[in-house]
Amino acid sequence: MFRCALFLIALAFLWVSGCAPSAEVPARANSTASQSTNLQIFQVKGVVINVKPNEKSVEVKHEEIPGYMPAMTMPFEVKDTNELAGLAPGDSILFRMLVTDTEGWIDQIRKLDASATNSPPASGPIRVAREVEPLGTGDVLPEYHFTNQFGQAISTAQFKGGVLAVTFLFTRCPFPNFCPLMSTHFAEAQKKLLAASGPLTNWHLLTISFDPEFDKPDVLKAYAERYKCDPAHWDFATGTLIDVTALAEQVGLNFWHDETGNISHNLRTVVMDASGRLRKIFNGNQWSTDELVEEMKKAAK
């Protein structure tokens, strides 16, 4: 009886001190990791357009990924460049696409048999809005007119006198390394700029959609709210394709609709100084929020 009482006292002490049996702890830890990662895995078919081992990426025209993403042409990153060995434009491939909340990549790339190999498809009809010259550093940005997430008319000219950063996307793009990453970068830049002290006080962010048929003001407004957009410093906008395409072409952004109507595109982000002159073009997604903020601070000087 005395031994039993001692055992119960010891067990109670262990429980109060946090040393109780913890068989559920590993399961909870795994659950938390899973929730924070939200890993999704898809099997995808496509045709190789370009292989870039130095950038650890391969550009692929892929088929529709049901329930996730329409067919489009885009570059995919790999973790291991050995995945790209032996690949060439025109190869039909099967691969695994892995996506979390913040990044996406592919692996297990396998070439299909020779009978399934195609010539690289054309990138599609890139819409030429009007003749425009590419902008070089120091060139003045022409005035373009758009409609923002509140249905208000805005123009690029109204931001002169302050530093302007512009990026492009379409809201239906789900792949975290592409359009969502551009919005995440701008959201982080907004937070840092609002908290910063110094010469950069007059600044604005402008996100332009090249999918005006879908990205109406109400859609843009809901999308902007997801990224905690401060309307005083950040507009989501779109406009007629003649303006969207002309501006895009001036900074090297290409987008096109393929034969099924799906959109493919590259990535460009631009910094303009207070006089409306081009300061910097960031290509692709291999840049950081700190780099953008630093470039905007330089433009303010």
Side-chain angles (χ1 to χ4, degrees):
M1 188 63 143
F2 177 73
R3 289 178 180 176
C4 182
L6 285 178
F7 174 77
L8 290 174
I9 292 170
L11 184 61
F13 175 79
L14 287 171
W15 182 264
V16 171
S17 64
C19 299
S22 55
E24 292 185 3
V25 171
R28 286 176 182 170
N30 290 339
S31 175
T32 301
S34 175
Q35 289 174 5
S36 63
T37 301
N38 289 329
L39 179 65
Q40 300 181 74
I41 301 176
F42 305 92
Q43 292 295 323
V44 187
K45 287 184 180 179
V47 177
V48 175
I49 304 299
N50 198 7
V51 184
K52 298 180 179 180
N54 291 339
E55 299 178 14
K56 300 179 72 172
S57 73
V58 55
E59 186 177 1
V60 180
K61 181 174 183 179
H62 65 80
E63 297 179 356
E64 178 186 3
I65 305 172
Y68 184 74
M69 185 163 59
M72 62 175 65
T73 302
M74 63 190 301
F76 290 101
E77 295 179 7
V78 297
K79 301 287 188 181
D80 183 354
T81 53
N82 290 329
E83 294 278 358
L84 307 178
L87 293 183
D91 287 344
S92 284
I93 57 173
L94 178 68
F95 57 93
R96 187 175 71 162
M97 184 178 80
L98 302 94
V99 182
T100 71
D101 293 337
T102 57
E103 65 173 335
W105 69 97
I106 67 172
D107 65 10
Q108 298 182 8
I109 303 172
R110 179 167 61 86
K111 284 201 288 188
L112 301 179
D113 57 34
S115 63
T117 301
N118 304 300
S119 298
S123 59
I126 300 174
R127 183 187 296 269
V128 178
R130 58 179 184 243
E131 283 195 28
V132 291
E133 292 293 328
L135 289 180
T137 302
D139 288 345
V140 175
L141 177 71
E143 183 173 8
Y144 289 102
H145 296 268
F146 303 105
T147 302
N148 72 5
Q149 69 265 40
F150 302 108
Q152 301 167 337
I154 63 173
S155 80
T156 51
Q158 76 186 60
F159 302 114
K160 283 187 178 180
V163 177
L164 176 67
V166 184
T167 197
F168 302 83
L169 53 68
F170 70 111
T171 64
R172 291 184 287 176
C173 174
F175 198 63
N177 295 8
F178 259 60
C179 298
L181 181 60
M182 298 301 99
S183 295
T184 297
H185 278 341
F186 266 31
E188 292 174 353
Q190 173 186 254
K191 184 176 180 180
K192 291 178 180 180
L193 290 167
L194 287 172
S197 58
L200 184 53
T201 56
N202 190 356
W203 55 271
H204 205 83
L205 306 175
L206 177 59
T207 298
I208 298 174
S209 168
F210 42 76
D211 186 17
E213 292 184 4
F214 182 84
D215 287 338
K216 304 296 185 185
D218 58 334
V219 174
L220 291 173
K221 184 174 182 292
Y223 190 85
E225 289 171 352
R226 285 167 49 188
Y227 291 93
K228 297 181 171 56
C229 164
D230 178 354
H233 287 286
W234 188 1
D235 278 292
F236 282 74
T238 191
T240 62
L241 279 177
I242 192 170
D243 272 346
V244 174
T245 310
L247 173 55
E249 288 180 350
Q250 287 205 282
V251 299
L253 177 85
N254 295 324
F255 66 93
W256 61 92
H257 294 73
D258 64 17
E259 61 277 3
T260 64
N262 295 313
I263 300 175
S264 298
H265 65 97
N266 60 0
L267 295 169
R268 291 292 184 273
T269 301
V270 183
V271 176
M272 311 298 298
D273 68 18
S275 63
R277 296 180 182 276
L278 176 66
R279 169 78 192 191
K280 173 81 173 182
I281 296 178
F282 291 96
N283 297 333
N285 57 7
Q286 299 299 311
W287 52 272
S288 69
T289 303
D290 286 338
E291 289 175 307
L292 174 64
V293 170
E294 183 61 29
E295 202 62 47
M296 292 178 72
K297 289 180 178 178
K298 291 178 181 177
K301 298 177 182 178

